[in-house]
Amino acid sequence: MVRKTVSVIVPVYNTGEYIDQCMGSICSQTYRNLEIIVVYDESGDDSLERCRYFSERDPRIRLIINDERKGLGAARNQGLRLATGDYVVYVDSDDWLKEDFIEKLYQAIEETGADYVSSLGYFIVGNGKKERYTTLPAGTYRSDTDKMLILLGEAPAVWKKIYNREWLLKKNLFQPETFYYEDWGYDIALVLEAEKIVLIPETGVFYRTSHKDDSAHDTMVGICRDFRKTLEFGVNEAQERGTLDKFRLAIEKYMVHDVFLREQLAVETENREALRLLQDISADFLEERFGCRNLYEFKRHICMGSFSLRWIVQSTTAPLKKLEHFAFSSIIASFTPYRHVGIKHKNLLRKQQVEQDISGIFYETLRNLSEKTILFIDFLEERCPILEMQDGAYMTESEAYLDADGTPVTYRRILSGTQEFMGLWQQKCLELVEELRRKRELVSVVLVKNRMSERYGNLNWTREFEGIGEIRQKNRMFSEMEHYFLEHCKAALVKVTDIALPEKWRFTDVDFRHGCEPQYMNGALYTYLGYELYKKFRDGLDHI
């Protein structure tokens, strides 16, 4: 059987230091039927010499030489117009691939007939470290909701995908011709035009970050100028293609997230010019074109509960300006103040969270609130036993606590879900409700009805976790706790917005980079809930 040709398009600009590793990884791919199009932009290093070296030794390489720099988007478009393969893969010249990566992509797009196939993750390489980064669970995405999830939850990078070339040309899916971040605007057109997108679990791209300095003053200003162009491209493409109205809120949220992340970086680096450009984007796009206002009225955003809750809260976008998290902590421990304890922990974030749990800082934080605050809460950490200290205070036997050293001496252990545990929990829950009643003019409460996963897998398959009976028992306990909390909030005239988990995505992603454990779900679920909460923010935080 004749295997189809894959056109690999490699833009090159000032990457002489890395091009050997990049080109070597492409030329040695196990999938051999490649057309390799190298588009060289005028550079100031030896990139051209290195490209010529490879083109002289591999007849599959076609070297295109530009006498001026046109930019990454233009180089990719140039390569696409010249490509003759059935499929297209883009590779950045400072990255490199696993030797079977194109083979995996090819097999998937041949078997599924997708418009494009993407690896669900990649390896971030920099400063001597390599970290696997993943996004959404593997599987097939084709509904309007699925497209929203891909747009908001999947990395927009074009270099970890394989595309049907005929589809790209038929849909006129060429990239904005900017020098920076052309992916961001392009993804709006790409995702919303696709009828079938497939994510595969194989991770085969090594994305190099060590030489990229986006925080340098002039670079950041250039990025912000191109960022405006790429967003203009994406919005205009959606309007011309008739997808803007249907996906308006998702496109808005997509832009809000990135604009405000860049604003934070501009503030941190005191780059006034970049900040002005970003504020212009906010005014011209988010406010004037999308009518997006009042997302940041609340001064403080507090997250009390699990790391699953944190990921949901982060994906709403709005709380990113300031997010305080109290994790690995039962309501029982968080409402029993104790003297400050300095513990030892190999993970600084977990160290801080355990110290907060022991010291009862959440109680003090809530009691001393003096500004408008949104409180996100779930009860997933109540699955952990409670440890009573000798003076009657409590701490949570969380996974972070179990890895810590130097914690206080405990008197006894109270198992989660026992009668004594539930009695203590209800007592502290009433104290929490009373504090919320006192602060109800300042605090808006969002209860996320998180659960432990009963299954693990991806969109194509799932299996039950071992110990499913205990997991279900814990989930019933969470439901009882939520009912108790909501009933007493209602009696105290404390308004609570509650949001439940849709059944479709209630599973742990087997490829989740933080582990395949029942206390985690998956990126699709977190993205979906973040989007649903964003809708509520969009209507005005005062109305949550």
Side-chain angles (χ1 to χ4, degrees):
M1 180 179 178
V2 177
R3 308 189 85 187
K4 296 177 180 177
T5 301
V6 177
S7 297
V8 182
I9 299 170
V10 189
V12 176
Y13 173 73
N14 273 353
T15 52
E17 184 179 353
Y18 311 109
I19 194 69
D20 285 8
Q21 187 175 25
C22 174
M23 292 303 299
S25 74
I26 296 170
C27 294
S28 61
Q29 285 291 299
T30 57
Y31 192 84
R32 304 301 298 168
N33 195 10
L34 303 179
E35 172 190 53
I36 305 169
I37 301 173
V38 177
V39 183
Y40 168 81
D41 263 4
E42 178 64 30
S43 302
D45 64 0
D46 65 345
S47 296
L48 182 57
E49 288 76 11
R50 304 311 306 158
C51 291
R52 281 184 170 139
Y53 172 86
F54 279 94
S55 67
E56 290 167 359
R57 286 159 178 78
D58 193 325
R60 297 174 300 173
I61 296 175
R62 182 178 179 185
L63 178 58
I64 311 300
I65 302 174
N66 294 330
D67 57 9
E68 63 178 358
R69 188 185 178 199
K70 296 182 178 180
L72 196 55
R76 288 178 181 147
N77 290 340
Q78 190 175 359
L80 177 58
R81 290 187 177 97
L82 294 170
T84 62
D86 297 275
Y87 302 117
V88 171
V89 171
Y90 296 107
V91 180
D92 283 359
S93 59
D94 55 346
D95 300 337
W96 72 98
L97 311 177
K98 279 187 175 181
E99 65 178 6
D100 63 346
F101 186 58
I102 293 178
E103 180 90 46
K104 299 289 188 183
L105 291 173
Y106 175 82
Q107 289 174 355
I109 200 165
E110 276 284 282
E111 291 170 3
T112 63
D115 295 316
Y116 74 84
V117 171
S118 177
S119 164
L120 61 83
Y122 51 93
F123 296 99
I124 300 174
V125 183
N127 300 319
K129 297 180 180 180
K130 182 177 75 173
E131 179 182 0
R132 184 170 181 261
Y133 178 84
T134 60
T135 52
L136 302 177
T140 300
Y141 294 76
R142 59 192 320 164
S143 70
D144 286 349
T145 300
D146 290 346
K147 291 180 186 179
M148 176 273 289
L149 292 174
I150 292 285
L151 183 66
L152 298 180
E154 165 71 345
V158 301
W159 37 257
K160 64 189 191 75
K161 303 175 172 75
I162 188 169
Y163 307 86
N164 182 311
R165 184 178 68 90
E166 183 180 351
W167 173 72
L168 288 177
L169 295 176
K170 179 181 177 181
K171 294 292 185 178
N172 198 32
L173 287 166
F174 291 93
Q175 299 176 37
E177 299 195 348
T178 60
F179 293 97
Y180 298 104
Y181 288 88
E182 67 298 321
D183 313 54
W184 295 93
Y186 183 58
D187 215 42
I188 295 173
L190 183 77
V191 172
L192 302 186
E193 278 292 342
E195 292 185 9
K196 186 176 185 181
I197 301 167
V198 172
L199 266 61
I200 59 173
E202 285 77 14
T203 304
V205 178
F206 295 88
Y207 176 74
R208 194 189 307 271
T209 64
S210 56
H211 69 293
K212 299 179 175 77
D213 184 11
D214 294 349
S215 63
H217 182 278
D218 291 345
T219 301
M220 188 183 294
V221 170
I223 286 173
C224 290
R225 290 198 177 105
D226 275 0
F227 188 55
R228 182 184 183 108
K229 294 175 185 176
T230 194
L231 292 181
E232 286 176 344
F233 173 92
V235 173
N236 291 338
E237 285 285 308
Q239 186 166 25
E240 291 174 8
R241 295 168 185 271
T243 54
L244 181 60
D245 290 341
K246 182 186 290 188
F247 294 98
R248 190 178 188 86
L249 190 65
I251 293 171
E252 174 190 311
K253 184 178 183 299
Y254 179 77
M255 292 193 298
V256 166
H257 179 270
D258 294 300
V259 168
F260 282 92
L261 277 181
R262 295 176 196 285
E263 270 197 358
Q264 284 181 305
L265 182 59
V267 170
E268 290 169 5
T269 57
E270 299 181 348
N271 192 326
R272 294 182 181 179
E273 188 175 358
L275 185 59
R276 179 185 59 78
L277 290 168
L278 290 164
Q279 289 171 342
D280 288 345
I281 293 174
S282 294
D284 297 341
F285 278 88
L286 300 180
E287 294 183 20
E288 293 303 317
R289 191 156 187 178
F290 283 82
C292 173
R293 297 177 177 85
N294 302 321
L295 280 177
Y296 297 91
E297 287 182 7
F298 281 48
K299 302 298 183 184
R300 298 181 74 170
H301 304 93
I302 296 176
C303 184
M304 172 59 200
S306 66
F307 260 86
S308 286
L309 178 65
R310 181 190 181 105
W311 292 320
I312 293 167
V313 171
Q314 286 178 326
S315 68
T316 66
T317 291
L320 287 173
K321 269 207 162 180
K322 185 175 183 181
L323 175 61
E324 301 167 63
H325 190 197
F326 299 88
F328 302 113
S329 188
S330 165
I331 295 294
I332 298 171
S334 66
F335 262 71
T336 53
Y338 187 73
R339 67 182 184 275
H340 179 74
V341 174
I343 68 165
K344 295 180 180 179
H345 205 294
K346 58 186 177 183
N347 183 299
L348 292 178
L349 175 61
R350 291 189 167 207
K351 174 181 185 294
Q352 177 199 43
Q353 298 297 326
V354 173
E355 288 178 340
Q356 287 181 163
D357 173 72
I358 295 171
S359 304
I361 294 175
F362 173 67
Y363 167 75
E364 296 295 332
T365 298
L366 199 58
R367 192 178 66 171
N368 294 323
L369 282 180
S370 60
E371 52 193 346
K372 291 182 71 176
T373 300
I374 182 165
L375 171 65
F376 297 87
I377 190 167
D378 76 355
F379 299 135
L380 203 57
E381 294 303 310
E382 308 302 337
R383 71 185 187 277
C384 301
I386 288 296
L387 301 174
E388 184 179 0
M389 293 176 272
Q390 292 183 350
D391 61 356
Y394 299 95
M395 56 185 170
T396 311
E397 193 181 71
S398 65
E399 58 187 274
Y401 164 86
L402 293 173
D403 290 337
D405 294 320
T407 54
V409 176
T410 58
Y411 174 64
R412 64 193 183 104
R413 187 170 182 256
I414 306 170
L415 290 177
S416 172
T418 61
Q419 186 175 355
E420 182 181 11
F421 180 96
M422 293 303 293
L424 274 171
W425 186 87
Q426 290 177 359
Q427 174 190 334
K428 298 302 178 184
C429 182
L430 291 177
E431 292 180 29
L432 168 61
V433 171
E434 176 59 19
E435 286 301 324
L436 294 175
R437 185 194 66 78
R438 292 172 182 166
K439 303 290 185 180
R440 62 188 175 200
E441 299 302 318
L442 293 176
V443 181
S444 286
V445 183
V446 175
L447 170 66
V448 177
K449 294 181 174 180
N450 263 326
R451 296 290 183 270
M452 295 178 71
S453 294
E454 297 181 8
R455 307 182 70 84
Y456 66 93
N458 57 37
L459 289 181
N460 295 331
W461 63 270
T462 59
R463 305 282 188 275
E464 284 188 350
F465 273 108
E466 291 185 11
I468 187 66
E470 183 179 353
I471 291 173
R472 287 173 177 162
Q473 184 179 8
K474 286 286 192 293
N475 285 338
R476 287 192 293 270
M477 179 185 74
F478 301 145
S479 179
E480 293 171 8
M481 289 174 166
E482 290 157 359
H483 179 76
Y484 188 89
F485 175 73
L486 289 170
E487 284 296 303
H488 284 85
C489 282
K490 182 178 180 181
L493 302 180
V494 174
K495 185 177 180 181
V496 180
T497 295
D498 61 282
I499 186 166
L501 313 187
E503 185 62 37
K504 178 180 178 180
W505 295 296
R506 285 180 61 173
F507 62 88
T508 294
D509 184 357
V510 70
D511 293 299
F512 191 46
R513 68 183 183 274
H514 297 287
C516 184
E517 301 178 22
Q519 66 268 29
Y520 304 139
M521 289 280 181
N522 62 78
L525 179 78
Y526 300 146
T527 301
Y528 177 84
L529 292 178
Y531 177 76
E532 290 298 307
L533 283 173
Y534 183 83
K535 288 182 184 178
K536 300 179 187 298
F537 292 137
R538 187 62 173 77
D539 294 332
L541 287 168
D542 288 330
H543 300 101
I544 283 183

